Coordinates of all heavy atoms in Angstrom, one line a residue:
E116 N -69.4 7.9 32.4 CA -69.9 7.0 33.5 C -68.8 6.2 34.1 O -68.0 5.7 33.3 CB -71.1 6.1 33.0 CG -72.3 6.8 32.6 CD -73.0 7.5 33.8 OE1 -72.9 7.0 34.9 OE2 -73.6 8.6 33.6
R117 N -68.7 6.1 35.4 CA -67.7 5.3 36.0 C -68.2 3.9 36.2 O -69.4 3.6 36.5 CB -67.3 5.9 37.3 CG -66.7 7.3 37.3 CD -65.5 7.4 36.3 NE -64.4 6.5 36.6 CZ -63.2 6.9 37.1 NH1 -63.1 8.2 37.4 NH2 -62.3 6.1 37.3
D118 N -67.3 2.9 36.1 CA -67.7 1.5 36.3 C -67.3 1.1 37.8 O -66.1 1.1 38.1 CB -66.9 0.6 35.4 CG -67.0 -0.9 35.7 OD1 -68.1 -1.2 36.3 OD2 -66.1 -1.6 35.3
D119 N -68.3 0.9 38.6 CA -68.0 0.5 40.0 C -68.5 -0.9 40.3 O -68.7 -1.2 41.5 CB -68.6 1.6 40.9 CG -70.1 1.8 40.7 OD1 -70.7 1.0 39.9 OD2 -70.7 2.7 41.4
A120 N -68.8 -1.6 39.2 CA -69.4 -3.0 39.5 C -68.3 -3.9 40.1 O -68.6 -4.7 41.0 CB -69.8 -3.6 38.1
Y121 N -67.1 -3.7 39.7 CA -66.0 -4.5 40.3 C -64.9 -3.6 40.7 O -64.0 -3.2 40.0 CB -65.4 -5.5 39.2 CG -66.5 -6.3 38.4 CD1 -66.8 -6.0 37.1 CD2 -67.3 -7.2 39.1 CE1 -67.8 -6.7 36.4 CE2 -68.3 -7.9 38.4 CZ -68.5 -7.6 37.1 OH -69.5 -8.3 36.4
P122 N -64.9 -3.3 42.0 CA -63.9 -2.3 42.6 C -62.4 -2.6 42.2 O -61.6 -1.7 42.1 CB -64.2 -2.4 44.1 CG -65.6 -2.9 44.2 CD -65.8 -3.8 43.1
F123 N -62.1 -3.9 42.1 CA -60.7 -4.3 41.8 C -60.4 -4.2 40.3 O -59.2 -4.4 40.0 CB -60.5 -5.7 42.4 CG -61.1 -6.8 41.6 CD1 -60.5 -7.5 40.6 CD2 -62.5 -7.1 41.8 CE1 -61.1 -8.5 39.8 CE2 -63.1 -8.1 41.1 CZ -62.4 -8.8 40.1
F124 N -61.4 -4.0 39.5 CA -61.1 -4.0 38.0 C -62.1 -3.1 37.3 O -63.2 -3.6 36.9 CB -61.3 -5.5 37.5 CG -60.6 -5.8 36.2 CD1 -59.7 -6.8 36.1 CD2 -61.0 -5.0 35.1 CE1 -59.1 -7.0 34.9 CE2 -60.4 -5.3 33.9 CZ -59.4 -6.3 33.8
S125 N -61.8 -1.9 37.1 CA -62.6 -1.0 36.4 C -62.5 -1.2 34.9 O -61.4 -1.4 34.4 CB -62.2 0.5 36.8 OG -63.0 1.4 36.0
T126 N -63.6 -1.2 34.2 CA -63.6 -1.4 32.8 C -64.2 -0.2 32.0 O -64.6 -0.3 30.9 CB -64.4 -2.7 32.3 OG1 -65.8 -2.5 32.8 CG2 -63.8 -3.9 32.9
D127 N -64.2 1.0 32.7 CA -64.6 2.2 32.0 C -63.5 2.8 31.2 O -62.4 2.3 31.2 CB -65.2 3.2 33.0 CG -64.3 3.6 34.1 OD1 -63.1 3.8 33.8 OD2 -64.7 3.7 35.2
V128 N -63.8 3.9 30.4 CA -62.8 4.4 29.5 C -61.6 5.2 30.2 O -60.7 5.6 29.6 CB -63.4 5.3 28.5 CG1 -64.4 4.5 27.6 CG2 -64.1 6.5 29.1
Y129 N -61.8 5.4 31.5 CA -60.7 6.0 32.3 C -59.6 4.9 32.6 O -58.5 5.3 33.0 CB -61.2 6.5 33.6 CG -62.1 7.7 33.4 CD1 -63.5 7.5 33.6 CD2 -61.7 8.9 33.1 CE1 -64.4 8.5 33.5 CE2 -62.6 10.0 32.9 CZ -64.0 9.8 33.1 OH -64.8 10.8 33.0
S130 N -59.8 3.7 32.3 CA -58.9 2.6 32.5 C -58.1 2.5 31.2 O -58.7 2.6 30.1 CB -59.6 1.3 32.8 OG -58.7 0.2 32.6
F131 N -56.8 2.3 31.2 CA -56.0 2.0 30.0 C -56.6 0.8 29.3 O -56.8 -0.3 30.0 CB -54.6 1.8 30.3 CG -53.8 3.1 30.5 CD1 -53.2 3.4 31.7 CD2 -53.7 4.0 29.4 CE1 -52.5 4.6 31.8 CE2 -53.0 5.2 29.5 CZ -52.4 5.5 30.8
H132 N -56.9 0.9 28.0 CA -57.5 -0.2 27.3 C -57.2 -0.1 25.8 O -56.6 0.9 25.4 CB -59.0 -0.1 27.5 CG -59.6 1.1 26.9 ND1 -59.6 2.3 27.5 CD2 -60.3 1.3 25.7 CE1 -60.2 3.2 26.7 NE2 -60.6 2.6 25.6
V133 N -57.5 -1.2 25.1 CA -57.4 -1.2 23.7 C -58.8 -1.4 23.1 O -59.7 -1.9 23.8 CB -56.4 -2.3 23.2 CG1 -55.0 -2.1 23.7 CG2 -56.9 -3.7 23.5
D134 N -58.9 -1.0 21.9 CA -60.2 -1.2 21.2 C -60.1 -2.5 20.4 O -59.1 -2.8 19.8 CB -60.5 0.0 20.2 CG -60.7 1.3 21.0 OD1 -61.1 1.2 22.2 OD2 -60.4 2.3 20.4
R135 N -61.3 -3.2 20.2 CA -61.3 -4.4 19.5 C -62.4 -4.4 18.4 O -63.5 -3.8 18.7 CB -61.5 -5.6 20.4 CG -61.7 -7.0 19.7 CD -61.9 -8.1 20.7 NE -60.7 -8.3 21.5 CZ -60.7 -8.8 22.7 NH1 -61.9 -9.1 23.3 NH2 -59.6 -9.1 23.3
S136 N -62.2 -5.0 17.3 CA -63.2 -5.0 16.2 C -63.1 -6.3 15.5 O -62.0 -6.9 15.4 CB -63.0 -3.9 15.2 OG -63.8 -4.0 14.1
P137 N -64.2 -6.9 15.0 CA -64.2 -8.1 14.2 C -63.7 -7.9 12.8 O -63.4 -8.8 12.1 CB -65.6 -8.6 14.3 CG -66.4 -7.3 14.4 CD -65.6 -6.4 15.3
I138 N -63.6 -6.6 12.4 CA -63.2 -6.3 11.0 C -62.0 -5.3 11.1 O -61.8 -4.6 12.1 CB -64.3 -5.7 10.2 CG1 -64.8 -4.4 10.8 CG2 -65.4 -6.7 10.0 CD1 -65.8 -3.7 10.0
A139 N -61.3 -5.2 10.0 CA -60.1 -4.3 10.0 C -60.6 -2.8 10.1 O -61.5 -2.4 9.3 CB -59.4 -4.4 8.7
T140 N -60.1 -2.1 11.1 CA -60.5 -0.7 11.3 C -59.4 -0.1 12.2 O -58.5 -0.7 12.7 CB -61.9 -0.6 11.9 OG1 -62.3 0.7 11.9 CG2 -61.8 -1.1 13.4
D141 N -59.5 1.3 12.3 CA -58.7 2.0 13.2 C -59.6 2.9 14.1 O -60.7 3.2 13.7 CB -57.7 2.9 12.5 CG -56.8 2.1 11.6 OD1 -56.1 1.2 12.1 OD2 -56.7 2.3 10.4
T142 N -59.1 3.4 15.2 CA -59.8 4.4 16.0 C -59.2 5.8 15.7 O -58.0 6.0 15.7 CB -59.6 4.1 17.5 OG1 -60.3 2.9 17.8 CG2 -60.2 5.3 18.3
F143 N -60.0 6.8 15.3 CA -59.6 8.1 15.1 C -60.2 9.0 16.3 O -61.3 8.8 16.7 CB -60.2 8.7 13.8 CG -59.5 8.0 12.6 CD1 -60.1 6.9 12.0 CD2 -58.4 8.6 12.0 CE1 -59.5 6.3 10.9 CE2 -57.9 8.0 10.8 CZ -58.4 6.9 10.3
L144 N -59.4 9.9 16.7 CA -59.9 10.8 17.8 C -59.1 12.1 17.8 O -57.9 12.2 17.4 CB -59.8 10.2 19.2 CG -58.5 9.7 19.8 CD1 -57.8 10.9 20.5 CD2 -58.8 8.6 20.8

Side-chain angles (χ1 to χ4, degrees):
E116 293 294 328
R117 299 306 301 254
D118 171 27
D119 55 6
Y121 311 111
F123 70 96
F124 200 123
S125 173
T126 57
D127 57 41
V128 295
Y129 296 104
S130 166
F131 277 117
H132 64 279
V133 300
D134 297 331
R135 175 180 292 153
S136 171
I138 60 173
T140 189
D141 301 303
T142 293
F143 291 87
L144 61 84

